[in-house]
Amino acid sequence: MGRVNGKTVIITGGARGMGAAFARRLVAEGAAVVVTDVLVEEGKAVAAELGERALFLPLDVTDENAWQGVVAAAEEQFGPVSGLVNNAGIVHVDPIERLAEADFRKVLDVNQIGVFLGMKAVLGSMRRAGGGSIVNISSIGGIIAFSNILGYVASKWAVRGMTKAAAQEFGADGIRVNSVHPGVVATEMTDTSERSHSMVGDQPLARAAAPEELANLVLFLISDEAGYCTGSEFVADGGYTTK
Ligand code: NAD
């Protein structure tokens, strides 16, 4: 208990799936959490379940003005922001030959530009907090490649690179930046994906991860226990990328 006592953490895409699991784990360990998402009713329900140390605010991660409002509101309610989990993400499936430019751009907009805007938005508040930790949720699609999801792979590789660049820029302010690379996690993103189901049968730990297993990793990275970790990739994939 209390591994992140006193920290104020913003989570994007926190209304369900992994983001909601991160919120539950961080609140249980003492943080105040701002759950954000475009899914308003689901997000409100997660925050209500978590009580006084949780707040829901609507946020489309592609909207820079909205980011500023969220950071200001988080700071006013709970104090300067010391943690950010850039978790919101989407996937679009099509072979390159049939992939519409608009669909490719949409994925980059949410998964890549959204992460940039988040890191930019929290910087001032994290300086006021005296330092902080940013966790960018990439994927094993940011380490290896998968067919038919070009935008997803491009954006997740970009997140991995942006994480390292930001770690270099933010280190002097005591702000750590790391990327997390899950394999198949049992959420709504994967439950209808045939590829995800077949992937798990072909890996050393032949099952999907529970969102809570990724939450343990995020908790570590947000906490001061990870004080010397920055600019690194943290893989939790049941061994899939050993192949
Ligand atoms: P999910 O679809 O359950 O959750 C994603 C959340 O992001 C949703 O609540 C959605 O409303 C929100 N979102 C989408 N667009 C948004 C926007 N423009 N602004 C704000 N919020 C937005 O999926 P998940 O599995 O929990 O995925 C969480 C993250 O983990 C994603 O970045 C995903 O790419 C990554 N990931 C997932 C898996 C997996 O197997 N599930 C594996 C590797 C990486």
Side-chain angles (χ1 to χ4, degrees):
M1 288 293 286
R3 291 166 64 190
V4 286
N5 267 348
K7 295 191 187 292
T8 301
V9 184
I10 296 173
I11 302 172
T12 69
R16 69 181 195 193
M18 270 190 264
F22 301 159
R24 293 186 180 104
R25 193 78 182 92
L26 288 162
V27 166
E29 291 290 344
V33 163
V34 178
V35 174
T36 68
D37 207 296
V38 289
L39 298 176
V40 173
E41 292 314 314
E42 292 91 330
K44 280 183 182 167
V46 170
E49 165 201 326
L50 294 175
E52 283 185 354
R53 274 187 287 107
L55 170 71
F56 172 76
L57 295 171
L59 172 68
D60 180 333
V61 293
T62 66
D63 181 344
E64 186 161 21
N65 287 334
W67 264 110
Q68 284 164 8
V70 164
V71 172
E75 184 159 343
E76 190 182 321
Q77 180 96 6
F78 297 126
V81 176
S82 42
L84 168 65
V85 188
N86 277 315
N87 164 76
I90 57 173
V91 63
H92 179 91
V93 184
D94 255 326
I96 294 169
E97 199 177 8
R98 287 203 299 275
L99 178 59
E101 181 184 342
D103 291 329
F104 183 71
R105 285 186 189 277
K106 175 71 183 163
V107 174
L108 299 190
D109 210 21
V110 175
N111 295 9
Q112 180 180 353
I113 308 293
V115 169
F116 153 60
L117 294 176
M119 294 195 296
K120 183 179 175 189
V122 297
L123 188 55
S125 191
M126 282 196 175
R127 285 193 180 120
R128 286 190 285 283
S133 170
I134 297 173
V135 180
N136 294 327
I137 306 300
S138 176
S139 165
I140 54 170
I143 292 186
I144 56 173
F146 295 96
S147 58
N148 298 328
I149 51 170
L150 189 75
Y152 191 81
V153 169
S155 65
K156 295 302 189 180
W157 277 73
V159 166
R160 180 177 166 208
M162 294 196 307
T163 295
K164 293 179 189 302
Q168 291 187 350
E169 289 191 32
F170 297 177
D173 289 310
I175 298 168
R176 300 181 290 102
V177 193
N178 292 288
S179 55
V180 164
H181 301 263
V184 178
V185 185
T187 68
E188 286 182 49
M189 183 177 272
T190 53
D191 64 6
T192 57
S193 160
E194 276 177 32
R195 175 176 15 217
S196 297
H197 293 297
S198 69
M199 276 171 67
V200 296
D202 195 30
Q203 63 190 34
L205 304 180
R207 63 175 177 83
E212 293 72 23
E213 294 179 286
L214 274 299
N216 289 331
L217 180 52
V218 168
L219 169 67
F220 167 70
L221 290 169
I222 291 291
S223 81
D224 296 339
E225 296 163 22
Y228 200 53
C229 300
T230 198
S232 287
E233 297 102 345
F234 290 80
V235 177
D237 69 347
Y240 186 84
T241 50
T242 56
K243 300 212 166 191

